[in-house]
Amino acid sequence: MGHYSMKNRLIHIFFSFWLIGILVCIAHIWYVEEKKDKEIWKDYEKLQSAKEKMSNREAWKEADEIMSNLLQKYPESFWMHFLYGAMLVTKGDLIKGEFHLHKARKINIFVVFNISYLIKMSECYLKLGKLYEAEQYAIRAKNKIKKDQKQHIVDNLLHAIFIQRKKSKS
């Protein structure tokens, strides 16, 4: 009986140390990621400037340059890849845009729950003529949208996909 109790204590101690080790690792990762995010937001004005220039077609070259510099500074930033990819898709540079949107997903797998990401991926695939992928992303976005929230955008995407499919069949 004493041996069994000693074995249980050792297992309990080992498990406690293992659990504490896991918690310390998680806390460290969280701290490092938070530190990275704070670093990125130091360049918030540059990011805002690039976003403003994205909305003005004449300033896309400047926005591209700003985003390229920020990406060199923060190569593992989900937000930089997401915003740059979205800008490139809007601009029409689809292959590069698709690359950066996929890179954002590699960095943060939870982006698949972001409606803006799903819409931008659907738009990118539609423009690339990858109708199946475009439809899958549009359907996922539609399933995540609450009533009236970006509903018209997804409906327009699904309609455009339908029209493209119809054209390709004829």
Side-chain angles (χ1 to χ4, degrees), residues 13 25 31 59 78 83 98 159 164 170:
I13 290 169
C25 286
Y31 172 76
F78 152 76
L83 292 172
E98 180 186 21
H159 182 70
Q164 285 280 52
S170 3

Side-chain angles (χ1 to χ4, degrees), residues 123-136:
E123 181 185 335
C124 180
Y125 283 131
L126 175 62
K127 290 178 178 178
L128 285 168
K130 297 179 178 181
L131 302 181
Y132 176 78
E133 291 88 346
E135 184 177 43
Q136 293 304 306

Side-chain angles (χ1 to χ4, degrees), residues 61-94:
K61 188 175 182 181
E62 291 174 61
D64 192 10
E65 189 176 308
I66 292 168
M67 289 301 294
S68 293
N69 290 337
L70 288 172
L71 268 171
Q72 285 178 353
K73 192 171 180 180
Y74 309 108
E76 292 302 312
S77 168
F78 152 76
W79 285 111
M80 295 300 160
H81 284 284
F82 176 69
L83 292 172
Y84 193 45
M87 180 193 86
L88 292 168
V89 169
T90 303
K91 183 179 162 188
D93 192 348
L94 302 174

Side-chain angles (χ1 to χ4, degrees), residues 141-153:
K142 187 173 181 94
N143 291 338
K144 297 208 176 311
I145 289 176
K146 294 179 179 119
K147 196 171 190 167
D148 298 330
Q149 179 195 31
K150 297 183 182 180
Q151 186 70 45
H152 65 285
I153 296 170

Side-chain angles (χ1 to χ4, degrees), residues 5-61:
S5 144
M6 180 67 144
K7 185 178 176 182
N8 280 347
R9 280 190 192 143
L10 285 174
I11 290 171
H12 179 72
I13 290 169
F14 175 74
F15 179 75
S16 297
F17 278 116
W18 176 80
L19 188 58
I20 289 169
I22 295 294
L23 292 173
V24 167
C25 286
I26 290 170
H28 177 70
I29 291 168
W30 178 75
Y31 172 76
V32 168
E33 289 303 313
E34 186 177 311
K35 197 173 175 183
K36 282 183 192 174
D37 283 347
K38 283 181 182 175
E39 189 70 29
I40 289 169
W41 293 112
K42 285 180 184 176
D43 287 319
Y44 182 75
E45 288 177 16
K46 290 179 188 172
L47 186 60
Q48 284 304 107
S49 170
K51 284 174 73 176
E52 287 171 18
K53 291 177 187 308
M54 282 183 221
S55 62
N56 177 0
R57 288 186 183 267
E58 290 83 44
W60 270 356
K61 188 175 182 181

